[in-house]
Amino acid sequence: MTDPLTASTPLERALALLWGRDTRGSRGPARGLTLDRIVEAAIEVAEREGPAAMSLRRVAARLGVGVASLYTYVPGRAELEALMLDAVAIGRTLPHEWPGDWRAKLTALAHDDWREIRRHPWVLELGTAEQVPGPNMLRWLDSALRIFDGTGLSEPEKLSAIETVDAYVRGLGRLRRPGADRPASGAGPTAASGTATEAATEAAAESESEDTRERDQVLGRLVDFDDYPALSRALAAGGTPYSGAPFEFGLERLLDGIEQLVLRRSA
Amino acid sequence: MTDPLTASTPLERALALLWGRDTRGSRGPARGLTLDRIVEAAIEVAEREGPAAMSLRRVAARLGVGVASLYTYVPGRAELEALMLDAVAIGRTLPHEWPGDWRAKLTALAHDDWREIRRHPWVLELGTAEQVPGPNMLRWLDSALRIFDGTGLSEPEKLSAIETVDAYVRGLGRLRRPGADRPASGAGPTAASGTATEAATEAAAESESEDTRERDQVLGRLVDFDDYPALSRALAAGGTPYSGAPFEFGLERLLDGIEQLVLRRSA
DNA sequence: ACGAAACTCAGTATACCGTTCGGAGTTAAC
DNA sequence: GTTAACTCCGAACGGTATACTGAGTTTCGT
């Protein structure tokens, strides 16, 4: 039941694949590939050549295989993307295992989330797939909810709190994204070798500020900033719009707000 | 100088177009189109058939024109997207004009942002273009900064506060997006008729929760939720993961956090 | 008034993309 | 041993963005 390659809707097929409900027969020649190798190759392509370059053809080429062969493993591109997204969630520290109280854990979660997004910017660029939860994502979410054990938050509040932090991190990641068509700047090791260094993140941030600088230069030649007094004031004071405000600022505000709620609930 | 169609980098071309630095001669036949009509048509296509269907060919077809003709107006797809994004910002209420104190204004800004994103989900799906600020966006940003006039916030803090709210709204919009490939559910009137009703937003939310329901149904058949105790608890309590937590929850937390900062700064 | 420069526009070509089809070869089940 | 199921892949279909070429049109400079 629920054969991933013949199920009716794409959604159903993606879910069946993600959750490993594979009901294929045992006849025929042995398969030359595994789903994991395909997903790994796809992630490598996205990482190296940018999310826009992630095509089935490239993945097949990297695996030394014809394009059509991939279709015996994966029903289509959308499903592959769903698998990629769940795959990057595999190596992460489970949120409730971070040390400290709920606020420390939540801070660590957000920073980890942020690091992950800076390291794999393509996760924000893929299709609809992030709506399809895989086992790794559910495990992560389950763990994240446990952060609030002991606080007086209601269950929906816990869910919302996690979702809010997630939305903030992803939203900021997209506002700060390096050109989605260009390859990743660092072009570090494969995604499988999860333990990348801080240096990689640093390098990404650096190249981004270079993009930003170029844009601001061109912008300065075209725009009369006297038309935007408040903005000019902010710029003169050293802030850079759409570019430089630190991730931590928003996170601290968000956590302060959640803390107020926790205090109210525990009172 | 800075001719939009021959400038070196795509970024420069996009900026030159956005800021209206058009340096074309006056000879030759009269142009059959205007930039505005092209942008309007592109927005209509994105609105009606979904962001994935927004192609130069479709836009050209809708205008009764050959594809190549568009390239005499716009250097390429990326630049058209930048123009589309700036165009949707045109009808919006300027943030500092909302009534009330800074918190009321900021709340109104966020709700307006949120409505806009629900109405035009494709703005979250376009390419790198949102990094290219146009005149309408800058005007909006300038106005948004004025919200914090009189609070003790520093200029970078003001910028960061705006960016944080924006990141949250956009991030949540993406987490909640209806299938990016399908056309918009409402398929309402053209984008030019900016004053859409609340009903449209309501309808979009409805169709989304239908998607969600289907997914949860399939998921329930595949997943043993005993493996995810905290999640099961939250589900049993009525919360729906990845779907239903209200926009307002996160916004209130965020505003509470910003308010704390404002109080600290004014003390 | 008129030639020529400048411009618009469209058809065609190239190089990708995802996906489907059909056939050739291989293996396990009966 | 036969057959059905399976893997793999070349080729093709319809789609995309973009580049190039050429034909036709308008307006400037004279």
Side-chain angles (χ1 to χ4, degrees), chain A residues 124-258:
Chain A
L124 299 179
E125 308 296 332
L126 298 188
T128 55
E130 52 216 294
Q131 309 251 19
V132 184
N136 293 320
M137 284 187 201
L138 281 200
R139 188 189 334 280
W140 184 88
L141 180 58
D142 187 78
S143 165
L145 288 170
R146 293 179 53 186
I147 285 182
F148 296 108
D149 281 353
T151 68
L153 260 51
S154 76
E155 298 297 331
E157 282 170 344
K158 293 178 188 174
L159 271 173
S160 293
I162 297 296
E163 202 180 18
T164 298
V165 172
D166 201 38
Y168 166 65
V169 175
R170 297 170 91 97
L172 198 65
R174 250 181 101 82
L175 287 179
R176 300 287 173 72
R177 66 179 160 181
D181 36 1
R182 279 191 292 286
S185 53
T190 93
S193 72
T195 60
T197 62
E198 292 294 303
T201 308
E202 213 57 45
E206 181 128 27
S207 102
E208 167 198 273
S209 78
E210 215 172 301
D211 278 7
T212 300
R213 192 142 28 85
E214 184 205 344
R215 186 199 56 212
D216 291 348
Q217 219 168 6
V218 180
L219 205 58
R221 287 207 304 272
L222 289 169
V223 183
D224 181 4
F225 276 99
D226 290 348
D227 296 340
Y228 309 97
L231 185 52
S232 303
R233 223 178 312 135
L235 287 174
T240 315
Y242 290 102
S243 81
F247 165 70
E248 274 76 16
F249 176 89
L251 182 59
E252 288 300 326
R253 301 291 82 69
L254 199 44
L255 292 175
D256 283 351
I258 295 175

Side-chain angles (χ1 to χ4, degrees), chain A residues 124 127 130-131 174 177 245, chain B residues 124 127 130-131 160 174 177 245:
Chain A
L124 299 179
E130 52 216 294
Q131 309 251 19
R174 250 181 101 82
R177 66 179 160 181
Chain B
L124 299 180
E130 53 216 295
Q131 310 251 20
S160 293
R174 251 182 102 81
R177 66 180 162 182

Side-chain angles (χ1 to χ4, degrees), chain A residues 1-10 12-18 20-24 35 73-76 79:
Chain A
M1 46 147 128
T2 330
D3 179 355
L5 272 71
T6 59
S8 47
T9 74
E12 210 158 342
R13 285 179 294 175
L15 281 168
L17 263 186
L18 273 169
R21 295 283 182 280
D22 204 333
T23 62
R24 65 175 0 90
L35 208 53
Y73 296 85
V74 170
E79 290 79 6

Side-chain angles (χ1 to χ4, degrees), chain B residues 219-233:
Chain B
L219 205 57
R221 288 207 305 272
L222 288 170
V223 181
D224 181 4
F225 276 99
D226 291 348
D227 296 340
Y228 309 96
L231 186 52
S232 303
R233 225 179 310 135

